[in-house]
Coordinates of all heavy atoms in Angstrom, one line a residue:
E152 N 25.1 -15.9 3.5 CA 25.6 -16.3 2.1 C 25.1 -17.7 1.7 O 24.8 -17.9 0.6 CB 27.1 -16.2 2.2 CG 27.7 -15.9 0.8 CD 29.2 -15.7 0.8 OE1 29.7 -14.9 1.7 OE2 29.9 -16.3 0.0
Q153 N 25.1 -18.6 2.7 CA 24.7 -19.9 2.4 C 23.2 -19.9 2.0 O 22.8 -20.6 1.0 CB 24.9 -20.8 3.6 CG 24.6 -22.3 3.3 CD 25.4 -22.9 2.2 OE1 26.6 -22.8 2.2 NE2 24.7 -23.5 1.2
D154 N 22.4 -19.2 2.8 CA 20.9 -19.0 2.5 C 20.8 -18.5 1.0 O 19.9 -19.0 0.3 CB 20.2 -18.0 3.4 CG 20.2 -18.4 4.8 OD1 20.3 -19.6 5.1 OD2 20.1 -17.5 5.7
L155 N 21.6 -17.5 0.7 CA 21.5 -16.9 -0.6 C 21.8 -17.9 -1.7 O 21.0 -18.0 -2.7 CB 22.4 -15.7 -0.6 CG 22.5 -14.9 -1.9 CD1 21.2 -14.3 -2.3 CD2 23.6 -13.8 -1.8
S156 N 22.8 -18.6 -1.5 CA 23.2 -19.6 -2.5 C 22.1 -20.6 -2.7 O 21.7 -21.0 -3.8 CB 24.5 -20.2 -2.0 OG 24.8 -21.3 -2.9
D157 N 21.6 -21.1 -1.6 CA 20.5 -22.2 -1.6 C 19.2 -21.6 -2.3 O 18.6 -22.3 -3.1 CB 20.1 -22.6 -0.2 CG 21.2 -23.4 0.5 OD1 22.2 -23.7 -0.2 OD2 21.1 -23.5 1.7
A158 N 18.9 -20.3 -2.0 CA 17.7 -19.7 -2.5 C 17.9 -19.5 -4.1 O 17.0 -19.9 -4.8 CB 17.5 -18.4 -1.9
V159 N 19.0 -19.0 -4.4 CA 19.2 -18.7 -5.9 C 19.2 -20.0 -6.7 O 18.7 -20.1 -7.8 CB 20.6 -18.0 -6.1 CG1 20.9 -17.9 -7.6 CG2 20.5 -16.6 -5.5
A160 N 19.7 -21.1 -6.1 CA 19.7 -22.4 -6.7 C 18.3 -22.9 -7.0 O 18.0 -23.7 -7.9 CB 20.4 -23.4 -5.9
R161 N 17.3 -22.3 -6.3 CA 15.9 -22.7 -6.5 C 15.1 -21.6 -7.2 O 13.9 -21.5 -7.1 CB 15.2 -23.0 -5.1 CG 15.9 -24.2 -4.4 CD 15.1 -24.7 -3.2 NE 14.0 -25.5 -3.7 CZ 13.0 -25.9 -2.9 NH1 13.1 -25.6 -1.6 NH2 12.0 -26.7 -3.3
N162 N 15.9 -20.8 -7.8 CA 15.2 -19.7 -8.6 C 14.4 -18.7 -7.7 O 13.4 -18.2 -8.1 CB 14.2 -20.2 -9.6 CG 14.9 -20.4 -11.0 OD1 15.9 -19.6 -11.3 ND2 14.5 -21.3 -11.7
I163 N 14.9 -18.5 -6.5 CA 14.3 -17.5 -5.6 C 15.2 -16.2 -5.8 O 16.4 -16.3 -5.7 CB 14.3 -18.0 -4.2 CG1 13.4 -19.2 -4.0 CG2 14.0 -16.9 -3.2 CD1 13.6 -20.0 -2.8
V164 N 14.5 -15.1 -6.1 CA 15.3 -13.9 -6.5 C 15.5 -13.1 -5.2 O 14.5 -12.7 -4.6 CB 14.5 -13.1 -7.5 CG1 15.3 -11.8 -7.9 CG2 14.2 -14.0 -8.8
P165 N 16.7 -12.8 -4.9 CA 16.9 -12.0 -3.6 C 16.7 -10.5 -3.9 O 17.1 -10.0 -5.0 CB 18.4 -12.3 -3.2 CG 19.0 -12.6 -4.5 CD 18.0 -13.2 -5.4
M166 N 16.2 -9.8 -2.9 CA 16.2 -8.3 -2.9 C 17.5 -8.0 -2.1 O 17.7 -8.4 -1.0 CB 15.0 -7.8 -2.1 CG 15.0 -6.3 -2.0 SD 13.6 -5.8 -0.9 CE 14.3 -5.8 0.7
I167 N 18.4 -7.1 -2.8 CA 19.7 -6.8 -2.1 C 19.8 -5.3 -1.9 O 19.1 -4.5 -2.6 CB 20.9 -7.4 -2.9 CG1 21.0 -6.7 -4.3 CG2 20.8 -8.9 -3.1 CD1 22.4 -6.9 -4.9
Y168 N 20.6 -4.9 -1.0 CA 20.9 -3.5 -0.8 C 22.2 -3.2 -0.1 O 22.4 -2.1 0.4 CB 19.7 -2.9 0.0 CG 19.3 -3.7 1.2 CD1 19.9 -3.5 2.5 CD2 18.3 -4.7 1.1 CE1 19.5 -4.2 3.6 CE2 18.0 -5.5 2.2 CZ 18.5 -5.2 3.4 OH 18.2 -6.0 4.5
T169 N 23.0 -4.2 0.0 CA 24.4 -4.1 0.6 C 25.4 -4.6 -0.4 O 25.0 -5.3 -1.4 CB 24.5 -4.9 1.9 OG1 24.1 -6.2 1.6 CG2 23.6 -4.3 3.0
P170 N 26.7 -4.3 -0.3 CA 27.7 -4.7 -1.3 C 27.9 -6.2 -1.2 O 28.8 -6.7 -0.6 CB 28.9 -3.9 -0.9 CG 28.6 -3.1 0.3 CD 27.3 -3.5 0.8
L171 N 27.1 -6.9 -2.0 CA 27.2 -8.4 -1.9 C 27.9 -9.0 -3.2 O 27.9 -10.2 -3.4 CB 25.7 -9.0 -1.9 CG 25.0 -9.0 -0.6 CD1 23.6 -9.5 -0.8 CD2 25.7 -9.8 0.4
G172 N 28.5 -8.1 -3.9 CA 29.2 -8.5 -5.2 C 30.0 -9.7 -5.1 O 29.7 -10.7 -5.9
P173 N 31.0 -9.8 -4.2 CA 31.8 -11.0 -4.1 C 31.0 -12.3 -3.9 O 31.3 -13.3 -4.5 CB 32.8 -10.7 -3.0 CG 32.8 -9.2 -2.9 CD 31.4 -8.7 -3.3
A174 N 30.0 -12.2 -3.0 CA 29.2 -13.4 -2.7 C 28.4 -13.8 -4.0 O 28.3 -15.0 -4.3 CB 28.2 -13.1 -1.6
L175 N 27.9 -12.8 -4.7 CA 27.1 -13.1 -5.9 C 28.0 -13.7 -7.0 O 27.6 -14.6 -7.7 CB 26.4 -11.8 -6.4 CG 25.3 -11.3 -5.4 CD1 24.9 -9.8 -5.8 CD2 24.1 -12.2 -5.4
N176 N 29.3 -13.2 -7.1 CA 30.2 -13.8 -8.0 C 30.4 -15.3 -7.8 O 30.3 -16.1 -8.7 CB 31.6 -13.2 -7.9 CG 31.7 -11.8 -8.5 OD1 30.8 -11.4 -9.2 ND2 32.8 -11.1 -8.3
K177 N 30.6 -15.6 -6.5 CA 30.8 -17.0 -6.2 C 29.6 -17.9 -6.5 O 29.7 -19.0 -7.1 CB 31.1 -17.2 -4.6 CG 32.5 -16.9 -4.3 CD 32.8 -17.5 -2.9 CE 32.8 -16.3 -1.9 NZ 32.8 -16.7 -0.5
I178 N 28.4 -17.4 -6.2 CA 27.2 -18.2 -6.5 C 27.0 -18.4 -8.0 O 26.7 -19.4 -8.5 CB 26.0 -17.5 -5.9 CG1 26.1 -17.5 -4.3 CG2 24.7 -18.1 -6.3 CD1 25.1 -16.6 -3.6
A179 N 27.3 -17.3 -8.7 CA 27.1 -17.4 -10.2 C 28.1 -18.4 -10.8 O 27.8 -19.1 -11.7 CB 27.3 -16.0 -10.8

Side-chain angles (χ1 to χ4, degrees):
E152 208 175 312
Q153 185 59 52
D154 295 338
L155 178 61
S156 175
D157 295 345
V159 172
R161 300 191 78 187
N162 266 332
I163 294 165
V164 181
M166 177 185 89
I167 66 164
Y168 45 91
T169 53
L171 281 177
L175 295 167
N176 280 353
K177 275 197 257 166
I178 294 168

